[in-house]
Amino acid sequence: MASLERLPAYRTVIKQLLEEYAAYQPSYGEIEIQTVFDNEQDHYQVVAVGWDKKERIYGCSIHLDIKNGKIWIQINNTELDIGQDLVERGIPKEDIVIGFHPPYLRQYSGYAVA
């Protein structure tokens, strides 16, 4: 488990990563890419909100949580390798959980099991 000293650094890394991702603007429609940060509960998301012609666009593309000192990747609907990006920003693999993988498969991911 990461020490409490690492948590502010983890929060900073997550916010920077998600803000960089949210800077991408879709090439179609009128879609706003928003970051949603719950600093007290450690929930962090990137959400698309808008319209593509007559179609409503709304959805979470990335959701990260910090639970028990580890970063949980709850969803990644992008082509980015969020886990690798976190590692390249200094987060040890043992502090990253691929939460959208079933628990029995996590042992093969190279990241933390839980």
Side-chain angles (χ1 to χ4, degrees), residues 16-101:
Q16 287 173 343
L17 173 67
L18 298 187
E19 286 172 350
E20 288 174 19
Y21 179 78
Y24 295 114
Q25 181 63 40
S27 60
Y28 57 93
E30 294 182 28
I31 302 167
E32 182 180 352
I33 306 299
Q34 302 176 349
T35 55
V36 181
F37 299 155
D38 176 353
N39 297 315
E40 292 184 20
Q41 302 299 317
D42 280 324
H43 303 297
Y44 308 91
Q45 298 181 351
V46 174
V47 178
V49 180
W51 291 90
D52 183 21
K53 298 177 185 162
K54 294 182 178 181
E55 181 182 359
R56 176 71 172 159
I57 304 296
Y58 182 86
C60 175
S61 54
I62 302 172
H63 176 168
L64 305 177
D65 290 334
I66 299 176
K67 295 172 30 176
N68 298 321
K70 295 182 180 177
I71 298 174
W72 284 66
I73 303 172
Q74 302 290 15
I75 192 76
N76 178 13
N77 289 324
T78 73
E79 297 178 0
L80 302 174
D81 185 342
I82 300 295
Q84 183 60 37
D85 205 349
L86 290 169
V87 169
E88 291 172 3
R89 293 167 190 252
I91 308 296
K93 280 188 162 188
E94 60 267 18
D95 284 351
I96 300 170
V97 179
I98 311 297
F100 59 86
H101 284 173

